[in-house]
Amino acid sequence: LPAHIRRNDERRLAARLHTGERAITLPVSTSTSVTELIEPMDTVDLMLTLRDGENPITVPLLDEVTILAIGSRLAGMPETGFAQRSQHITVAVNPLSAARLTHALTMGDIHLALRAPGDKEIPPSYQINESAIVEASDDALGAEVEVIIGGAL
């Protein structure tokens, strides 16, 4: 019986953190993000869309953030039941970044951009608003856009 009560360390979120890291859970919009395609241990960049009256602006928030969990599912744990995705992710960050994320949630919406495995490129600094999109040239946006259609498997 004690073996059934004792928690397995592999299932504990705290056991997956490195020294100096903090886990923080963030709400994500399942209709406008890659949440149906990400898995625990994927790496993402986080962007913040500031609600500034009629002129919202999107800025980089954090880059190379590791996703520890999607809902209550940790890496290596199979999905249970139906393939319904959670509206929350848990990420590993340093204490200062945890405070930045906490405050950012009061300012606007946080969005995810999935990174390729091994991608260590530092994203450029930017501020995107309506005029930056309307006035952008093909060079700024990229000549081609790859569309990935998919969802929960």
Side-chain angles (χ1 to χ4, degrees):
L1 186 60
H4 291 89
I5 297 173
R6 189 178 324 129
R7 292 184 74 176
N8 181 344
D9 268 354
E10 290 180 8
R11 300 190 76 153
R12 293 184 57 231
L13 182 60
R16 294 168 184 255
L17 292 172
H18 297 105
T19 300
E21 286 184 328
R22 304 296 185 265
I24 186 166
T25 300
L26 305 170
V28 292
S29 170
T30 56
S31 63
T32 60
S33 70
V34 294
T35 56
E36 291 194 16
L37 302 172
I38 60 174
E39 294 292 331
M41 300 314 293
D42 279 347
T43 303
V44 296
D45 292 340
L46 301 178
M47 300 170 284
L48 173 63
T49 299
L50 299 163
R51 297 182 207 110
D52 184 22
E54 294 181 21
N55 301 311
I57 187 167
T58 299
V59 296
L61 184 57
L62 295 173
D63 59 291
E64 284 191 71
V65 176
T66 301
I67 296 175
L68 295 174
I70 301 169
S72 61
R73 187 170 64 91
L74 299 170
M77 292 177 59
E79 288 191 51
T80 57
F82 295 101
Q84 181 176 355
R85 290 302 216 170
S86 173
Q87 294 183 357
H88 292 87
I89 62 166
T90 301
V91 297
V93 294
N94 64 45
L96 178 59
S97 294
R100 288 183 72 206
L101 287 169
T102 299
H103 190 75
L105 288 170
T106 69
M107 299 170 60
D109 300 315
I110 296 175
H111 300 276
L112 312 176
L114 180 63
R115 282 182 162 253
D119 179 3
K120 300 294 183 190
E121 183 178 323
I122 297 172
S125 181
Y126 57 83
Q127 290 187 356
I128 303 296
N129 58 18
E130 184 178 322
S131 63
I133 293 171
V134 172
E135 297 169 5
S137 67
D138 283 347
D139 292 336
L141 295 176
E144 295 182 22
V145 175
E146 179 181 1
V147 176
I148 301 173
I149 300 173
L153 299 175

